[in-house]
Amino acid sequence: MHDLSDIASWLKHHPIHHASSVHSTLPDPTFVTGGETVISFSTNNYLALANHPRLVAAAKQGLDRYGVGNCESRLLGGDLEVYRELERRLGALKHKSDAVLFVTGYMTNIGVLSSIVKAATLARLHGFRARTRHKYAYYSDEFNHISIREGIQMSGALRYNYRHCDMNHLESLLQAGAVEGTTPIIVSDGVFSMEGTIAPLPQLVALAERFGALLYIDDAHATGILGANGGGTSEHFNCYSANIMQMGTLSKALGSIGGFVAVEKDVADVIRLTSSAYGFTCPPPPDQAAALLAALDILEEEPQRRQRLWDNQRYFIEQMRPLGYTIISTETPILPVLIGDAETCQRYAIELRKEGVHVDSIQFPAAPVGQARLRFMMNAGHTKAQIDHAVSVMARLAGRAERLVA
């Protein structure tokens, strides 16, 4: 407890940059805090579905039918038809025959990545006896989400990091690590949350098939966003493979809570049997599963909602272009504006907040040293007037910086 006390004492005199304020409402994409309405350019609620009347109505119906929570593991008897239907729909969205639902996306990565390399050992508890012992090694993009890194670490398997989206480096690591009897598992975000870049899925699939690897894609920021129907990175590239395990979250574009991994049914059954994060905890509340089915309906029925998101993304880029800022990536609705110095980046975020615009200041360790950035996240619910306001503040800040340099 001494470390905890020392850190708590230090925090009293050194408030951290990322201390959160308390709000009265959630962003849709505006929110109320301290009686003031603020425009959020930081919410993951990309399609503005979290407060959609159809999701709210579906959740209310779910509450009336099921109550407020499922207080039992699905593996031990707490399964419901609504979960199975949601898994079927999510599997279909990802062109897989099944999906496994977890309580959050974070728990999905931890639960799957920590257990798939130990599945044979864990299945021994149920009487399985492996004919051959397999070894596994993870190959992970250096910018992967921390939940991926923690899941890999918990697995106890060998692990190697390759440079961000550097397929030559990944190939050299796979060649160097090629050992008879060792199965490689390549892991990558589909869309990188701090960079806004898209993983080169066709090249990843080609390497996975060449080296006999599993390919685990975290589509948290791609599900509902990329592809003609919101199917994610595979649909974006029209690139499908039996080697791919497609993970996604339900707390971003789909507006609720939960995570999933889409796989073929036989693999799904093994995950349900061997992942502690599935078998030894409760699932998301059933009313949220009902709301998510409504969200998937809207995803199919209202493609114009996703179109508005991309229209806003392009409009922001066009309005920012004359200001001289560097946008690290313009591939996705995540548009990180490079500032460089961490303190300057934080001051910019504070100035934006004074003008009623909330943007996250991303600094080390979430971004490399010297590459602090304002992460603008576009939303289907943003109006052009709201975007214009944010851009006008950035223009004033750019002008102020030029005067300081002069």
Side-chain angles (χ1 to χ4, degrees):
M1 288 296 293
H2 293 297
D3 283 347
L4 300 181
S5 299
D6 290 345
I7 296 169
S9 177
W10 177 83
L11 281 173
K12 291 178 182 178
H13 305 287
H14 299 82
I16 59 174
H17 288 319
H18 298 291
S20 298
S21 54
V22 178
H23 313 311
S24 304
T25 65
L26 291 171
D28 64 345
T30 61
F31 63 95
V32 176
T33 180
E36 175 191 8
T37 299
V38 177
I39 309 164
S40 175
F41 284 89
S42 296
T43 176
N44 295 316
N45 182 24
Y46 292 108
L47 299 179
L49 287 178
N51 200 34
H52 193 286
R54 284 177 63 180
L55 270 70
V56 173
K60 286 179 179 178
Q61 292 174 3
L63 283 170
D64 289 339
R65 179 173 180 179
Y66 300 109
V68 298
N70 185 341
C71 303
E72 189 172 2
S73 160
R74 290 178 66 194
L75 189 64
L76 298 178
D79 211 351
L80 292 170
E81 291 176 354
V82 69
Y83 295 136
R84 291 294 177 142
E85 174 62 12
L86 178 58
E87 289 172 329
R88 185 192 68 78
R89 293 281 301 276
L90 290 170
L93 180 67
K94 297 292 186 178
H95 289 228
K96 296 289 184 179
S97 61
D98 202 356
V100 183
L101 180 66
F102 290 81
V103 69
T104 66
Y106 205 107
M107 288 301 293
T108 306
N109 281 339
I110 289 178
V112 176
L113 293 172
S114 67
S115 65
I116 56 174
V117 300
K118 300 182 288 189
T121 300
L122 295 168
R124 286 176 63 89
L125 300 173
H126 304 277
F128 172 79
R129 293 295 180 268
R131 294 191 297 269
T132 305
R133 293 196 65 180
H134 294 274
K135 295 181 180 179
Y136 297 86
Y138 279 109
Y139 295 81
S140 176
D141 190 291
E142 64 176 334
F143 287 174
N144 277 341
H145 192 268
I146 189 171
S147 59
I148 289 175
R149 289 180 272 138
E150 289 188 349
I152 291 173
Q153 185 176 18
M154 289 170 63
S155 75
L158 290 172
R159 56 189 185 274
Y160 307 93
N161 288 337
Y162 61 90
R163 290 186 292 272
H164 179 53
C165 290
D166 187 335
M167 296 299 97
N168 290 328
H169 188 214
L170 173 57
E171 182 179 10
S172 68
L173 290 174
L174 288 166
Q175 288 174 335
V179 177
E180 187 176 353
T182 299
T183 299
I185 305 175
I186 303 168
V187 188
S188 176
D189 281 354
V191 170
F192 291 84
S193 60
M194 300 300 166
E195 308 294 316
T197 48
I198 303 175
L201 186 66
Q203 294 94 315
L204 287 168
V205 168
L207 286 173
E209 293 180 349
R210 175 180 164 192
F211 286 93
L214 292 173
L215 176 57
Y216 185 97
I217 297 294
D218 179 336
D219 251 357
H221 291 271
T223 301
I225 305 301
L226 296 185
N229 302 292
T233 49
S234 279
E235 188 175 58
H236 173 74
F237 288 107
N238 192 28
C239 179
Y240 299 93
S241 170
N243 296 58
I244 303 178
M245 302 176 72
Q246 298 192 38
M247 174 270 179
T249 53
L250 306 170
S251 58
K252 294 181 172 56
L254 296 180
S256 181
I257 185 68
F260 68 96
V261 60
V263 290
E264 300 307 330
K265 189 180 186 309
D266 54 349
V267 177
D269 289 340
V270 174
I271 292 172
R272 291 187 180 101
L273 187 69
T274 58
S275 174
S276 297
Y278 175 87
F280 288 86
T281 190
C282 298
D287 64 282
Q288 294 304 295
L292 284 159
L293 288 172
L296 290 171
D297 289 340
I298 293 172
L299 194 65
E300 293 178 3
E301 297 166 13
E302 298 183 14
Q304 66 273 18
R305 184 175 293 269
R306 193 165 52 258
Q307 185 60 51
R308 286 199 303 271
L309 171 66
W310 287 105
D311 289 345
N312 286 338
Q313 188 255 19
R314 285 187 289 270
Y315 184 73
F316 179 83
I317 294 168
E318 291 169 1
Q319 299 307 109
M320 286 289 289
R321 188 171 289 122
L323 303 185
Y325 288 105
T326 296
I327 301 178
I328 293 172
S329 174
T330 57
E331 295 181 279
T332 73
I334 301 171
L335 299 171
V337 176
L338 181 65
I339 304 299
D341 176 69
E343 291 299 323
T344 302
C345 190
Q346 185 61 25
R347 286 199 300 271
Y348 274 39
I350 291 170
E351 290 300 314
L352 284 157
R353 179 64 183 79
K354 289 178 181 177
E355 297 294 332
V357 176
H358 179 75
V359 179
D360 287 330
S361 171
I362 307 299
Q363 306 163 26
F364 182 82
V369 174
Q371 295 185 34
R373 72 283 307 262
L374 296 170
R375 184 179 62 165
F376 284 85
M377 301 177 73
M378 307 312 296
N379 192 281
H382 283 140
T383 65
K384 286 189 175 180
Q386 291 169 340
I387 296 171
D388 287 342
H389 177 58
V391 171
S392 70
V393 179
M394 292 296 290
R396 292 200 299 273
L397 291 170
R400 185 181 306 174
E402 288 176 3
R403 289 194 299 272
L404 288 173
V405 171

